[in-house]
Structure formats: structure tokens, C-alpha cells
Amino acid sequence: MLAAERYDRIVEMVNVKGSMRVSELSERCRVTEETIRRDLDRLEQAGRLRRSHGGAVSVKEDQPEIPYRIRETTHAEEKKRIAQAALAMINPGDRILLDASTTAGYMAANMPDFPLTVLTNSIQIATELSNRDKVEVISTGGQLASRSLSFVGPLAERSLETYHVDKMFMSCKGVHLEGGGISESNELQARLKQKMVGISDQVILLADASKFGVRAFARVSGLNAVHTIVTNQPLEAEQTERLSGYDIGIITV
């Protein structure tokens, strides 16, 4: 394989997985780790990826969020089924937290009007629930992230410290079972979701099949923080085996 071909392959693999270690790239490209390190230096200088400790991360992951209206129509049917299953996990009187994901948005759109406290950083969800007389809605406030129609930043993070919820329903950019855990496309969203996890008794992860195997730019938490995963198709045998060590309930819809 010519050096130029190897460079293209390295960039392609890193973009697909979000990040890769030197040892993994060495094995895939069948060259020494020293060669890979030199390759990564050249590719970083060219702006095609970014070096990290022990490997490289995709520069594509460090881009602005995909606008909410576009995400809303991506894998829409799968997200709607996941949202419907998640709604069945809510009981009258619960205190719940909904993140600014489109899947949580579908939950809000079909939320029954019974006594419930909903904490959210999503403008879309707060607006959707405003016509439910029995649902108390609390917004975090904070810095407006216009692409996700959500509040992020220090003010939003501090406001979460005031509360405690029974159940958190969240989605993410990626779910990586080989040590990466749950990740987001940018640091502000990841930091806020870390705070959300910290104030929740139960964490329910809403993840369609496209999220698995993806390691995005900013880590939210390990899988040990998750109590239940709701997804749209059976996981592969290897994925199920890896998850078995975390005592996570899996609901497939």
C-alpha cells in the first residue's frame, strides 16, 4: 500500500469510528506503530485529523451540532418506537428529566396529561408540554444552543444541582462498548449530560441502532451509569455479551 493510500484509509477509519488508537491502526494497515505515529503527525499538520494521547480523533466530530429539524427526520420511525416504549416506563407522580434529543422530543409529543414533573433543557420539549395542565415543566435556562434548541453552559449546569429526579431519559451521539461509553458531539452537551446523570436515580438511554459503535468527540459517561437501554433492533451477540457485565436492562422495540 502506498503512503498516500494509507493516509486516506487512516482518515476514513478514524472518521467512521470517531477515534482510534495507534495500535489498532497499526494492525489494520499492517505497518509498525512508529510508522502510524509519523502518519498521524503528517495528517494532523494537513488538518485531516487531530492527534490524541495514544491515537487520533476525527475532526469531523468537533463540528457544530446537526440542526434539530434535520435530526428530527433522521431515523424518525425508529425514534418514535423507542419514545413510545420509554413512555411506558413513566408513572404518575414521577419526577423525570428529558434531554434535548429528538427522541425525547417524540416522548414529549405523546406525553399523557397526568401528574408529572418534567425537568428539561430543551425549548422544544418545554413548549410541547406547555398545554398539559397536570404536567409541571421546569426549564434549566442557560446559554442557548440554537442548532439543538437547548440550553447549555455553566448556568444550565448549576441549575441542575438544585434538583433530583427519579428517571432520566437521554440519547447521545454515540454508544461505544469497548471502553468509550456514551459520547456527544461537543463538550457543552457532554458536560450538561454528565450533570444530568449525577442527579438521576435511573438513567434510561434511548439509542437507535445507528448510535452503537460510534465514539464521538466528548465523553458523557461510562456504561456503568446506565440502568436501561431502549433500542430499535436486537444487538449483535458480541454487543450483548459486553453489556452483560454492566447489569443493564435492554428493551428492543
Side-chain angles (χ1 to χ4, degrees):
M1 181 186 299
L2 297 175
E5 295 174 336
R6 189 171 66 248
Y7 296 161
D8 290 342
R9 186 177 182 195
I10 289 171
V11 172
E12 180 182 5
M13 290 190 293
V14 171
N15 283 343
V16 168
K17 297 192 71 174
S19 66
M20 290 186 74
R21 299 187 64 80
V22 168
S23 56
E24 189 176 5
L25 289 167
S26 173
E27 182 180 348
R28 295 283 188 90
C29 295
R30 298 182 179 180
V31 294
T32 66
E33 293 187 8
E34 183 178 355
T35 297
I36 290 296
R37 291 189 185 94
R38 288 198 299 268
D39 290 348
L40 296 182
D41 288 338
R42 293 189 181 97
L43 290 168
E44 183 176 50
Q45 291 171 9
R48 300 182 67 186
L49 49 72
R50 186 173 60 254
R51 289 298 309 270
S52 65
H53 181 68
V57 296
S58 170
V59 293
K60 287 189 175 181
E61 294 297 334
D62 195 17
Q63 297 295 318
E65 293 178 274
I66 299 171
Y68 185 93
R69 298 303 180 191
I70 295 177
R71 290 189 288 118
E72 192 175 29
T73 58
T74 304
H75 304 293
E77 291 307 314
E78 293 90 337
K79 292 176 179 178
K80 288 177 181 178
R81 294 202 306 272
I82 290 170
Q84 200 61 45
L87 284 172
M89 304 173 70
I90 299 173
N91 301 310
D94 277 349
R95 299 165 300 179
I96 70 170
L97 195 161
L98 299 179
D99 74 354
S101 65
T102 52
T103 309
Y106 285 126
M107 288 180 65
N110 293 281
M111 188 76 69
D113 190 10
F114 56 47
L116 190 69
T117 300
V118 178
L119 174 62
T120 186
N121 70 317
S122 167
I123 295 174
Q124 184 79 10
I125 288 173
T127 302
E128 182 66 52
L129 295 177
S130 64
N131 62 358
R132 310 296 203 282
D133 294 334
K134 298 178 182 179
V135 178
E136 180 183 7
V137 181
I138 301 171
S139 174
T140 63
Q143 174 186 341
L144 176 62
S146 59
R147 283 175 169 261
S148 59
L149 300 178
S150 66
F151 293 115
V152 295
L155 179 59
E157 293 169 24
R158 286 197 298 271
S159 71
L160 289 171
E161 296 172 1
T162 310
Y163 303 105
H164 174 266
V165 298
D166 303 307
K167 300 163 186 172
M168 172 190 179
F169 296 87
M170 74 167 181
S171 190
C172 59
K173 179 75 171 181
V175 184
H176 203 283
L177 305 184
E178 298 175 359
I182 304 164
S183 54
E184 265 299 340
S185 57
N186 67 72
E187 186 177 2
L188 286 176
Q189 292 290 354
R191 284 174 58 89
L192 191 69
K193 290 187 181 185
Q194 287 169 4
K195 292 285 187 181
M196 291 177 168
V197 169
I199 66 167
S200 306
D201 283 343
Q202 295 182 50
V203 175
I204 296 99
L205 180 62
L206 314 175
D208 65 75
S210 69
K211 305 291 177 67
F212 287 89
V214 175
R215 184 181 292 176
F217 176 65
R219 188 174 187 270
V220 176
S221 73
L223 289 167
N224 57 319
V226 178
H227 297 85
T228 305
I229 294 176
V230 186
T231 188
N232 64 298
Q233 66 182 40
L235 301 179
E236 297 176 1
E238 182 181 355
Q239 293 174 326
T240 302
E241 183 179 353
R242 287 184 181 277
L243 285 173
S244 64
Y246 292 99
D247 192 27
I248 298 175
I250 301 175
I251 298 173
T252 305
V253 296

